[in-house]
Amino acid sequence: MHDLTRCVQHPEVPQAGFRSLAVPTYRASTIVYEDGESFAARGQRGFDGYTYGLHGTPTTRTLEAQLTELHQGVRTVLVPSGQMAVALVFLTFLLPGDHVLVPDSAYGPVRNICRDYLAPRGIGHTIYDPLIGAGIADLITERTRLVWVESPGSGTMEVQDVPAIARAAKARGVLVGCDNTWCTPLLFKPLAQGCDFAAEALTKYVGGHSDLLLGSVTVRDMALRQRMKEVLRSLGIGVSPDEVSLALRGIETMGLRLAHMGRVSEMFARRLQDHPLVEQVLHPCLPACPGHAVWARDIGGSGGVFSIVLQPGAEAALNPALTALRVFAIGASWGGTRSLIAPMAIRGERSARPWTRDGAVLRISIGLEQEDELWADLEGLLATLAAGRVPVPA
């Protein structure tokens, strides 16, 4: 064999006796075949087989299988982001003339895709009150093909009555999808509560280290998975095995991280509700949080994300207060090891359930820092806000 050939073709090495706890990162574009016959029949391998790197490697199949087991589904589809997980369901199952219901508390880009992409293509949408529960039945029309839920809601933390919504939708033959990122399958399993799709931004708790972008959709009906895979194949969308390998690493500690973050978030939420500068704490564990009774019935555990509504006038000193933080970082997303704070624009985004609070909203994501240092940083933030607060006329 010529040296140039040796540079290209790797020698086989024995693997007897080698066992690793780590999942290998299989990178591939081309998948090779043993003979011409198997290549010609590659289309018969289906979506569980291997035909081209874009459609999956053993690395991606491992994460898919792990998420499927956690969600008690039949298959999981991986996509490049959490937003793509939502968009994939919409793009696959909604056609011109159809209609989708979306909660007023949903992640902002979900509303954007309805307004900016679906509507120009003849697909209607209605924004509904996230606390509507079984009343969703009154909004379902003969055109409705999908009801989307997000529980708790982004920023404002309303907990939706997913079982009641799913029952109402199923009675009319309508599909139901749930953004389950806040809970993860460790706290809530949407498929077991009647949903057809459980979508998650793996970027957050599964990844756990703020260094990857990934999303997933888990289903309980193989036909739904087949249709989504066909769309992904047609659009040429796949995920990187390197991103998946980071998620496989992160998911191993997700249970411990989520338990710690949930405990600290609940502790801080209860402390903050008594602070004179805080008008309201939006955390599902608190009785005053919209949907608390549903949280206690269906979830009963907490993630690390919650929000606080400041007293009006406190926003005057918000920029210097945020800049002075020493432990918390200012940033979007959440679920990583670093604690984050981000101001939220709520009022202009609400329609079905208008936002009536005048004070600024801060979303807080608890990480893994020493909790006393986190609390001291929050106290410092609130002290700076209080010192710079502008009185608001009664």
Side-chain angles (χ1 to χ4, degrees), residues 11 18 41 83 99 111 143 145 176 198 208 210 222 265 284 305 311 320 335 353 370 378:
F18 176 80
Q83 172 63 6
H99 173 252
R111 188 189 298 257
R143 296 173 52 213
R145 298 293 176 266
V176 181
S210 305
M222 185 68 83
S265 78
V305 179
Q311 293 288 350
R353 188 177 181 82
Q370 210 284 331
L378 278 178

Side-chain angles (χ1 to χ4, degrees), residues 282-348:
L282 299 171
H283 192 302
C285 76
L286 300 177
C289 186
H292 165 78
V294 175
W295 172 85
R297 183 195 70 194
D298 295 341
I299 303 173
S302 292
V305 179
F306 66 102
S307 298
I308 60 174
V309 183
L310 300 173
Q311 293 288 350
E315 67 278 1
L318 185 57
N319 286 337
L322 291 172
T323 302
L325 289 167
R326 292 293 177 264
V327 185
F328 280 89
I330 306 167
S333 197
W334 35 273
T337 60
R338 184 74 182 270
S339 295
L340 301 171
I341 288 183
M344 302 289 291
I346 303 296
R347 185 183 294 275

Side-chain angles (χ1 to χ4, degrees), residues 71-138:
H71 272 295
Q72 298 176 358
V74 296
R75 287 295 188 280
T76 293
V77 173
L78 299 179
V79 291
S81 70
Q83 172 63 6
M84 184 62 216
V86 181
L88 175 61
V89 176
F90 286 19
L91 296 178
T92 302
F93 298 98
L94 297 173
L95 296 173
D98 291 344
H99 173 252
V100 59
L101 292 166
V102 175
D104 210 1
S105 55
Y107 179 50
V110 177
R111 188 189 298 257
N112 294 347
I113 194 174
C114 291
R115 181 191 64 222
D116 301 333
Y117 188 87
L118 299 183
R121 289 159 177 81
I123 301 171
H125 69 279
T126 299
I127 305 298
Y128 69 88
D129 183 343
L131 301 180
I132 196 171
I136 196 77
D138 296 332

Side-chain angles (χ1 to χ4, degrees), residues 22-28 57-60 240-246 248:
V23 178
T25 303
Y26 290 100
R27 304 178 184 90
T57 73
T59 307
T60 55
S240 165
D242 293 280
E243 301 281 84
V244 172
S245 68
L246 292 175
L248 286 166

